[in-house]
């Protein structure tokens, strides 16, 4: 059976496992910052999942039309992920950087979209990082089952997208977490903050992160130092972060409340991924059936 949020959130190994997960995601960001940035804000992360899920489901259904910009925008608007203009701009950006590409038109009108191999590999890496975390909690073999199947991403990812889109905690995160989800590379900011936390300090009111220099932090993230500093000040005013000494010249800390927000958000996401894994045919293959473009949860 899949682990639920309570199982995950209360697991004694969660803090160390999530720290390792954060470090793995940061390594993926370093390997391809521009591509990883697609997953680094809440809105873009959800749009990417919607687009990829549509692609895989159309492919599974042998749909000859394929994923089109019009269909993508319609789904984004239908589920209130972003405005029509934002969804259109997102697709144009993905085309510009060749994260998706146009296929030849099949009907003389619409040109279907195909996620590039590098894009699918990046999403597979994201999935594998989370499956490794889940395995570390119960000695499971999810990662091995996923890696053993060439079509695993196409089956699992649409179910993950269903779960993310239908989750209120995902769509409406708590205060400080929400503050960063709308920042460019905000997800990476939080991963970096939390990757430096010693799990043995998780019970402190002010938990050291290991970060000292905002300028170095911003430069590594390729963010405006001014913009990042403004967000950090907002978080500081909420009591979510601070410095053990002089600002910018001492170690930054995160509050226990913010740390718990982050860990709860990870538990919610991990539970969604585990439920998706439980409900697909990994590791045993089932008979293929025609799939709706969006899952029953939506």
């Amino acid at each position: 059976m899949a682990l639920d949020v309570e199982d995950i959130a209360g697991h004694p190994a969660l803090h160390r496992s999530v720290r390792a997960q954060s470090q793995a995601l940061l390594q993926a960001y370093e390997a391809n910052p521009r591509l990883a940035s697609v997953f680094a804000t809440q809105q873009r992360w959800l749009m990417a999942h919607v687009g990829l899920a549509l692609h895989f489901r159309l492919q599974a259904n042998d749909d000859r039309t394929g994923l089109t910009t019009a269909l993508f925008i319609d789904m984004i608007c239908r589920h209130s992920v972003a405005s029509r203009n934002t969804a259109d701009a997102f697709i144009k950006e993905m085309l510009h950087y060749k994260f998706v590409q146009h296929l030849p038109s099949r009907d003389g009108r619409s040109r279907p979209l195909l996620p590039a191999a590098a894009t699918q590999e990046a999403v597979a890496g994201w999935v594998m990082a989370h499956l490794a975390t889940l395995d570390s909690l119960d000695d499971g073999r999810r990662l091995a089952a996923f890696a053993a199947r060439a079509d695993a991403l196409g089956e699992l990812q649409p179910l993950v997208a269903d779960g993310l889109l239908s989750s209120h905690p995902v769509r409406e995160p708590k205060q400080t977490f929400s503050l960063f989800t709308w920042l460019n590379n905000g997800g990476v900011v939080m991963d970096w903050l939390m990757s430096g936390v010693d799990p043995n300090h998780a019970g402190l009111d002010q938990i050291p992160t290991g970060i000292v220099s905002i300028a170095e932090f911003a430069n590594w993230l390729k963010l405006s130092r001014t913009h990042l500093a403004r967000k950090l000040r907002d978080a500081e005013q909420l009591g979510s972060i601070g410095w053990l000494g002089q600002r910018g010249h001492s170690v930054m800390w995160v509050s226990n409340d913010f740390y718990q927000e982050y860990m709860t958000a990870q538990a919610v996401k991990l539970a969604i991924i585990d439920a998706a894994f439980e409900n697909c045919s990994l590791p045993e293959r089932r008979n293929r059936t025609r799939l709706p473009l969006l899952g029953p949860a939506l």
Side-chain angles (χ1 to χ4, degrees):
M1 291 181 62
L3 298 173
D4 61 25
V5 174
E6 290 73 21
D7 293 330
I8 296 169
H11 199 289
L14 180 66
H15 300 280
R16 292 191 181 279
S17 297
V18 166
R19 185 189 189 192
Q21 174 186 293
S22 298
Q23 292 167 343
L25 295 174
L26 289 174
Q27 289 175 356
Y29 177 84
E30 285 188 293
N32 193 336
R34 192 178 296 280
L35 181 54
S37 70
V38 175
F39 279 79
T41 66
Q42 176 88 329
Q43 190 178 64
R44 292 161 65 82
W45 179 60
L46 289 173
M47 285 195 289
H49 272 296
V50 168
L52 200 58
L54 285 169
H55 162 73
F56 284 133
R57 282 191 163 124
L58 289 165
Q59 189 177 62
N61 292 338
D62 297 319
D63 186 285
R64 296 188 59 81
T65 303
L67 173 61
T68 63
T69 297
L71 177 58
F72 172 78
I73 292 174
D74 178 65
M75 290 298 182
I76 292 297
C77 293
R78 184 182 303 181
H79 294 282
S80 302
V81 176
S83 69
R84 182 170 296 274
N85 287 342
T86 298
D88 182 61
F90 178 77
I91 285 293
K92 288 176 179 174
E93 181 185 351
M94 298 302 100
L95 287 166
H96 176 75
Y97 290 114
K98 297 181 172 55
F99 298 153
V100 300
Q101 62 190 65
H102 273 132
L103 294 175
S105 174
R106 296 172 181 170
D107 60 7
R109 295 174 299 171
S110 60
R111 298 181 65 190
L113 301 165
L114 177 68
T119 302
Q120 297 188 43
E121 289 169 6
V123 177
W126 180 89
V127 170
M128 291 170 75
H130 292 83
L131 293 179
T133 301
L134 287 162
D135 283 348
S136 72
L137 301 180
D138 64 0
D139 296 321
R141 293 188 52 79
R142 301 169 186 81
L143 181 56
F146 181 87
R149 285 261 301 274
D151 62 343
L153 182 65
E155 183 171 358
L156 179 60
Q157 187 277 332
L159 299 178
V160 173
D162 292 347
L164 294 173
L165 283 173
S166 61
S167 169
H168 179 75
V170 169
R171 300 295 298 271
E172 300 292 338
K174 291 187 176 181
Q175 189 174 26
T176 308
F177 198 89
S178 179
L179 178 69
F180 286 102
T181 58
W182 291 96
L183 172 70
N184 287 342
N185 288 331
V188 183
V189 171
M190 287 190 286
D191 286 337
W192 196 0
L193 284 169
M194 302 304 174
S195 69
V197 168
D198 183 338
N200 291 325
H201 297 157
L204 298 176
D205 291 335
Q206 298 177 347
I207 306 171
T209 65
I211 294 171
V212 175
S213 170
I214 295 177
E216 180 183 343
F217 193 16
N219 183 61
W220 187 85
L221 291 166
K222 295 178 174 57
L223 283 175
S224 160
R225 178 182 175 181
T226 301
H227 187 48
L228 177 59
R230 186 182 306 119
K231 285 292 183 180
L232 292 174
R233 282 186 181 275
D234 289 344
E236 188 176 7
Q237 289 174 359
L238 292 172
S240 299
I241 68 164
W243 281 260
L244 295 177
Q246 183 181 356
R247 181 187 291 109
H249 298 280
S250 62
V251 172
M252 185 186 299
W253 55 258
V254 295
S255 71
N256 192 273
D257 285 346
F258 182 24
Y259 181 74
Q260 295 304 328
E261 275 186 41
Y262 178 84
M263 297 304 295
T264 298
Q266 299 309 308
V268 168
K269 180 176 55 171
L270 287 162
I272 288 169
I273 293 170
D274 205 20
F277 184 90
E278 185 74 13
N279 287 315
C280 70
S281 67
L282 297 170
E284 295 180 358
R285 182 181 295 276
R286 298 170 186 160
N287 293 330
R288 285 179 57 184
T289 57
R290 189 168 181 83
L291 299 170
L293 291 184
L294 292 175
L298 304 178

